[in-house]
Amino acid sequence: MLSEVLLVSAPGKVILHGEHAVVHGKVALAVALNLRTFLRLQPHSSGKVDLSLPNIGIKRSWDVARLQLLDTSFLEQGDVTAPTPEQVEKLKEVAGLPDDCAVTKRLAVLTFLYLYLSIFRKQRWTKEDLELINKWAFQGERVIHGNPSGVDNAVSTWGGALRYQQGKIASLKREIRKGKSRKAAPVDPRLLIPSLLYLLSKQEPIAPCVPDAAALGVGLERPPALQILLTNTRVPRSTKALVAGVRNRLLKFPEIVAPLLTSIDAISLECERVLGEMGEAPALEQYHVLEELIDMNQHHLNALGVGHASLDQLCQVTRAHGLHSKLTGAGGGGCGITLLKPGLEQPEVEATKQALTSCGFDCWETSVGAPGVSVHSATSLESRVRQALDGL
């Protein structure tokens, strides 16, 4: 069992190119976002399991003795698979959540309990690698989505960048085979916690895929660490409705929309090529190509009908500062990314961020191509992260 404090973090994820086109068999490029979720696992002698997720207002506690007395045979499965509807109902009983509990909170708690009861009840630990973290993370996401793509857990586990097309996940240069389901081995508790880190903010699933460590080799090849602004327009949207809207437009205007999707695919492939050539010393001209690709893709996405006035405003504000932006994800509001070229003076970056926040948006300066799941010592964390964790 864990005998000391464990600090773990995992990156977020954004789509560089390929939104919506990926639903129709085209390539999408996903990258790890260095806005990280941190989690602290700390043993204590209270006899309770405590779960605190302050960002979504969750603070729950269960008696370990009561959990140990539960009949958990409903979790007995030979492979690492998703819980059945009957198992989910059992988990709801264990969780003790009120009927009016928000969906996000309910899913987070059920995911935690599923992983806790499935792994910690085994009472014996062996060291496993990132493959097992990824597989358990994938199962946690299936509690939320039912049929996830496998992209989010792969990016958060290994970091870097990957491409996704028709159920196949690959690094920028080599293909990752679709992993076969394997028996869930008992694991060191240090391998459980990373699986919980990325589950609270997901996009619409496409098709299941769980790449394994053997196929990955040493992990996803890392692209250059591009500096970006991530901006949340704070406009809610339905991914399902937006995906359906593109499909309907394709059926109505096939000779117009199909070439748009093919062109978005070409943009993704060209971006992949440029990123592969940038290496450790990217040239300014390569950034100019990335900016052109961003502009073209944004126009294509508007033509597909997934733009929004707030995203147009975001692009206009950043363009006034000489920067290039596009939506990321489903569109219709939501988030956008802005590429920051090397040599851009910090006062100009701050002015752009201020202009975006003045529009009522949330804005963060960060990077993509970040490391995957990582273990930290307390002294290595930034003071703001330590303060947030100490306040739990």
Side-chain angles (χ1 to χ4, degrees):
M1 298 297 288
L2 192 69
S3 60
E4 57 186 21
V5 174
L6 176 66
L7 293 171
V8 188
S9 74
K13 180 218 73 178
V14 294
I15 300 292
L16 277 184
H17 295 288
E19 296 93 340
H20 291 282
V22 70
V23 178
H24 302 277
K26 310 303 184 183
V27 170
L29 300 182
V31 290
L33 178 71
N34 207 24
L35 289 176
R36 307 182 73 83
T37 297
F38 287 84
L39 189 143
R40 179 175 63 187
L41 180 64
Q42 182 171 342
H44 52 76
S45 57
S46 67
K48 293 182 179 296
V49 177
D50 298 316
L51 174 65
S52 177
L53 301 174
N55 285 0
I56 58 173
I58 288 179
K59 199 171 184 68
R60 303 289 299 178
S61 181
W62 298 271
D63 288 324
V64 173
R66 178 172 173 263
L67 293 178
Q68 290 175 338
L69 291 173
L70 288 173
D71 176 10
T72 57
S73 59
F74 69 92
L75 293 172
E76 287 286 358
Q77 299 178 55
D79 294 327
V80 183
T81 55
T84 65
E86 292 76 16
Q87 291 172 338
V88 171
E89 290 304 315
K90 287 278 189 179
L91 289 172
K92 288 180 180 178
E93 294 177 17
V94 175
L97 295 171
D99 293 337
D100 60 352
C101 179
V103 173
T104 302
K105 296 181 180 181
R106 182 183 304 116
L107 291 174
V109 171
L110 294 181
T111 299
F112 171 80
L113 280 174
Y114 174 61
L115 291 170
Y116 178 87
L117 292 172
S118 294
I119 298 178
F120 275 81
R121 68 192 181 92
K122 296 182 182 294
Q123 298 300 312
R124 60 188 180 94
W125 320 114
T126 61
K127 283 192 175 182
E128 298 292 336
D129 58 13
L130 291 174
E131 178 188 351
L132 196 54
I133 291 176
N134 185 52
K135 286 182 180 293
W136 278 112
F138 180 74
Q139 300 315 318
E141 183 160 75
R142 291 185 74 177
V143 173
I144 296 175
H145 278 323
N147 187 33
S149 68
V151 171
D152 288 12
N153 47 280
V155 173
S156 288
T157 300
W158 284 289
L162 57 78
R163 58 179 286 169
Y164 179 84
Q165 185 177 25
Q166 294 182 328
K168 293 182 180 179
I169 298 177
S171 72
L172 291 185
K173 292 186 178 179
R174 61 181 182 274
E175 183 173 346
I176 297 172
R177 300 188 304 274
K178 195 169 183 178
K180 294 182 179 179
S181 180
R182 298 183 181 179
K183 186 174 182 179
V187 296
D188 188 305
R190 290 174 294 178
L191 297 177
L192 164 66
I193 300 307
S195 307
L196 305 177
L197 293 176
Y198 72 103
L199 295 170
L200 302 180
S201 179
K202 302 285 103 190
Q203 294 191 34
E204 193 73 9
I206 309 290
C209 177
V210 192
D212 59 28
L216 278 166
V218 296
L220 301 181
E221 296 181 20
R222 215 174 279 169
L226 303 176
Q227 300 297 310
I228 66 163
L229 297 179
L230 176 70
T231 302
N232 182 3
T233 65
R234 303 175 69 177
V235 175
R237 74 283 189 275
S238 166
T239 300
K240 183 177 181 180
L242 289 160
V243 169
V246 173
R247 184 178 293 108
N248 291 337
R249 187 166 288 196
L250 175 61
L251 293 173
K252 186 176 182 180
F253 306 109
E255 294 184 357
I256 298 172
V257 176
L260 285 174
L261 298 175
T262 300
S263 183
I264 291 175
D265 187 57
I267 289 171
S268 298
L269 295 175
E270 178 64 10
C271 180
E272 180 181 6
R273 183 192 68 79
V274 173
L275 291 176
E277 292 179 352
M278 290 178 77
E280 296 297 325
L284 188 60
E285 180 58 34
Q286 291 170 318
Y287 277 90
H288 290 158
V289 173
L290 294 180
E291 290 176 333
E292 288 186 80
L293 296 176
I294 285 172
D295 291 342
M296 287 189 289
N297 200 356
Q298 179 62 21
H299 289 306
H300 281 51
L301 290 165
N302 276 331
L304 291 179
V306 297
H308 189 271
S310 62
L311 293 166
D312 292 339
Q313 186 178 18
L314 187 163
C315 293
Q316 291 166 3
V317 168
T318 57
R319 190 181 305 117
H321 291 267
L323 302 175
H324 300 255
S325 305
K326 65 174 288 290
L327 67 85
T328 181
C335 291
I337 54 174
T338 304
L339 181 63
L340 301 178
K341 294 193 297 273
L344 190 65
E345 297 292 335
Q346 192 60 33
E348 185 61 33
V349 176
E350 293 300 324
T352 305
K353 290 165 63 178
Q354 180 59 48
L356 290 168
T357 55
S358 296
C359 297
F361 304 153
D362 295 325
C363 186
W364 301 270
E365 182 180 353
T366 184
S367 62
V368 296
V373 62
S374 304
V375 178
H376 306 272
S377 65
T379 56
S380 70
L381 297 177
E382 295 180 15
S383 58
R384 61 184 180 84
V385 177
R386 289 200 304 270
Q387 290 171 3
L389 290 170
D390 290 341
L392 297 178

